[in-house]
Amino acid sequence: MSRYSNDKRAFLAMGFIFCFLAAVLACQKKENTIKIGIAGPMSGDQSKMGIDEKNGAELAVDEWNGRGGVLGKKIELLVEDDQHDPKQAVAVANKLVNSGAVAVVGHWNSGSSIPASDVYHQAGIPMITPASTNPELTERGYENIFRICGRDDQQGKVSAAFVIHHQEFKRIAILHDKSTYGQGLADEFRKNLTDSVEVIHYGGLTQGDKDFRGILTTLKEKRPDLLFFGGIYPEAGQLAMQAKEIGINAPLISGDGTFDPTFIKIAGSAADGSYLTFSSDPSREKDAARVLDRYHQKYGEHGPYSLYAYDAANALLKTISEIKSTDPKSLSRGLHQIQLKGTTGKIEFDAKGDLLVSPYVVWVVKEGKFIEFWKP
C-alpha cells in the first residue's frame, strides 16, 4: 500500500469525523430553539400586509429573545409565503409542520387560513390568525385554531348598522372580489340591512383586475347613494378612483381589508369620504404607543395588522412560558385559558377560539388620513 493511499484514507476519515461532528452540532442547535411559524402573502400585490404581519411577530420574538427566550431556549421564526393562494397555503402549512414549528401565527387571508387550518388541525399544532375574519374558520370545532381579530358577521353587522343609522343612504350597490373574505363580508353586510334601504346591485368582480369602469358605468345609471365593497385595498383603491372619474359621487364603504394607507395612495383624493370598519386606534393606549415607537424605529410605519401579529406571537409565547411546555395539546388548552392585555385590547378566547369582545368601529378618510368616526 502506498503512502499516498494511507494519506488519502486518513483524509477521508478526518472528513467523516468532521461531518459527523457538524451534524451533531447542528442537531444540538435545532434542539435549543423553539420554532414559531409565520405565514401570509410575503410577495405579490398583497405583500404589504404579509410583511406587516411578519414584522409584528418578529418584534415580539426579538423582545422575548432579548429577555433570554422562553423555557431557556431562543425562539426561531420560520417565515413562509402563501401568496394569498389556497393551494400554496396548504403547501406552506405542511412545510411548517414538517419543519418542527410548535405553533403558527397566520395566515392573513381567510381563503388561505381556512384550508391551512385543516393541516394544522391534523398535526395538532395551534394556529392564531391575526387577520382572517371569515366566520367559517372557527366554526368547525377545531380546538387548536384561534383568531386575535374580529369576525365578518360582527364587522358586517357594524357596517349595516352604520348605513341604517345614517338615513341619507337609501340605495346601496354591493360589490365583492369573489374571495372567501370579500364575498363573505358582503353577504354579512347585506344580511344585516333592513327594509329601510334598497340593494340596487349585488355582484362580484375579479381580484387582480385594475379597470372596473364597465361595472361602475352600469352602477351610475342606477344612482346609488353608497358603494359597498368586500375585498382588499388594491381593488378598493381603483374602485374609489374610477367611480369619481366617471361621475359617481356616492362614497365607498369597505372593511378591514381596505384599511391600509396603500388604499389612499392608490385612490388619491378620491379616497376622501370613504368609510371603513376596523378596530379603534390603539396608539391612544400608552403600552401600545410604546410598542409602536419600537416598531417604527425598526421597520418604519406600521400596518393595520402589525400589532395584531405582535399580540398573537406574545399570546403564544406567554402561554408556553406559563404552562412550561410546547406540547401541542397542552398549548391549545393553555391558549383557551389565557387572559392577556394586548396592544389591541383584552385577549381572551371563547370556546370556538374567537375573541370575547368585538373590536369594530367605523373610520372615515379625511384629507388623506384615517379618522375614527362612529361607534355602534
Side-chain angles (χ1 to χ4, degrees):
M1 186 174 292
S2 68
R3 180 179 176 183
Y4 173 76
S5 297
N6 288 334
D7 289 348
K8 185 177 180 181
R9 282 188 172 186
F11 178 78
L12 291 173
M14 290 178 62
F16 174 78
I17 293 170
F18 175 79
C19 292
F20 175 76
L21 290 174
V24 169
L25 289 172
C27 289
Q28 288 178 340
K29 183 180 179 182
K30 287 180 181 176
E31 291 173 355
N32 285 330
T33 63
I34 291 175
K35 296 177 181 177
I36 302 291
I38 175 80
M42 304 297 167
S43 64
D45 61 335
Q46 295 180 19
S47 59
K48 165 72 167 56
M49 293 297 193
I51 299 299
D52 290 343
E53 179 189 32
K54 187 271 294 181
N55 290 345
E58 186 178 74
L59 179 63
V61 166
D62 287 349
E63 290 176 354
W64 277 83
N65 280 335
R67 299 192 293 268
V70 63
L71 305 184
K73 298 179 180 180
K74 294 292 185 180
I75 304 134
E76 182 181 354
L77 204 57
L78 308 178
V79 182
E80 292 294 339
D81 179 11
D82 67 19
Q83 301 170 21
H84 68 86
D85 176 77
K87 291 182 179 177
Q88 182 64 16
V90 170
V92 160
N94 279 304
K95 184 177 179 181
L96 288 172
V97 169
N98 293 331
S99 298
V102 302
V104 173
V105 174
H107 297 219
W108 192 79
N109 306 77
S110 294
S112 297
S113 285
I114 292 172
S117 66
D118 292 333
V119 177
Y120 302 130
H121 177 64
Q122 189 171 11
I125 68 172
M127 160 190 159
I128 304 181
T129 174
S132 296
T133 50
N134 189 283
E136 183 184 342
L137 178 65
T138 50
E139 289 290 339
R140 293 165 298 160
Y142 290 175
E143 74 285 349
N144 61 323
I145 304 301
F146 303 83
R147 82 174 99 217
I148 215 156
C149 55
R151 296 168 41 128
D152 287 337
D153 47 0
Q154 299 166 331
Q155 184 174 197
K157 189 175 183 179
V158 169
S159 297
F162 172 78
V163 169
I164 295 166
H165 178 78
H166 290 76
Q167 299 179 2
E168 66 267 34
F169 303 132
K170 296 295 186 185
R171 297 169 59 81
I172 316 296
I174 300 176
L175 295 168
H176 60 78
D177 64 2
K178 303 178 187 174
S179 69
T180 303
Y181 160 71
Q183 186 165 357
L185 179 59
D187 288 345
E188 294 294 342
F189 170 71
R190 182 169 66 169
K191 187 171 73 179
N192 284 284
L193 293 174
T194 65
D195 293 339
S196 64
V197 300
E198 179 185 3
V199 176
I200 60 170
H201 177 88
Y202 177 91
L205 49 79
T206 301
Q207 196 177 65
D209 281 358
K210 296 185 182 302
D211 189 347
F212 305 111
R213 293 177 179 83
I215 182 64
L216 288 170
T217 299
T218 301
L219 292 181
K220 182 182 178 182
E221 296 173 357
K222 296 183 178 182
R223 298 176 287 105
D225 298 320
L226 186 72
L227 300 177
F228 180 92
F229 176 60
I232 313 296
Y233 57 83
E235 289 78 27
Q238 296 291 345
L239 277 171
M241 179 179 66
Q242 292 167 20
K244 293 294 182 186
E245 281 179 5
I246 67 171
I248 294 178
N249 293 318
L252 182 79
I253 182 168
S254 189
D256 60 307
T258 296
F259 193 90
D260 189 89
T262 313
F263 163 67
I264 299 174
K265 185 177 180 181
I266 295 171
S269 60
D272 272 14
S274 298
Y275 302 105
L276 305 165
T277 44
F278 198 64
S279 56
S280 294
D281 182 4
S283 63
R284 290 179 298 199
E285 298 291 332
K286 289 183 180 178
D287 290 344
R290 283 193 283 267
V291 173
L292 285 174
D293 285 343
R294 298 196 293 274
Y295 186 101
H296 295 157
Q297 289 173 13
K298 191 168 186 177
Y299 304 109
E301 190 59 35
H302 67 285
Y305 280 107
S306 299
L307 288 181
Y308 284 86
Y310 177 87
D311 282 351
N314 269 322
L316 280 172
L317 295 169
K318 185 174 187 294
T319 303
I320 291 172
S321 175
E322 288 183 350
I323 68 172
K324 303 185 187 310
S325 172
T326 57
D327 172 69
K329 287 187 177 179
S330 300
L331 186 48
S332 293
R333 282 197 298 269
L335 282 166
H336 276 289
Q337 302 299 319
I338 194 171
Q339 292 183 341
L340 174 67
K341 184 184 177 185
T343 60
T344 56
K346 188 176 182 180
I347 296 170
E348 192 173 0
F349 298 108
D350 64 14
K352 295 179 180 178
D354 290 318
L355 287 178
L356 290 179
V357 179
S358 170
Y360 292 107
V361 299
V362 176
W363 295 66
V364 66
V365 179
K366 188 174 182 180
E367 297 179 349
K369 296 181 179 178
F370 295 113
I371 307 294
E372 196 169 320
F373 184 66
W374 185 82
K375 291 183 179 181

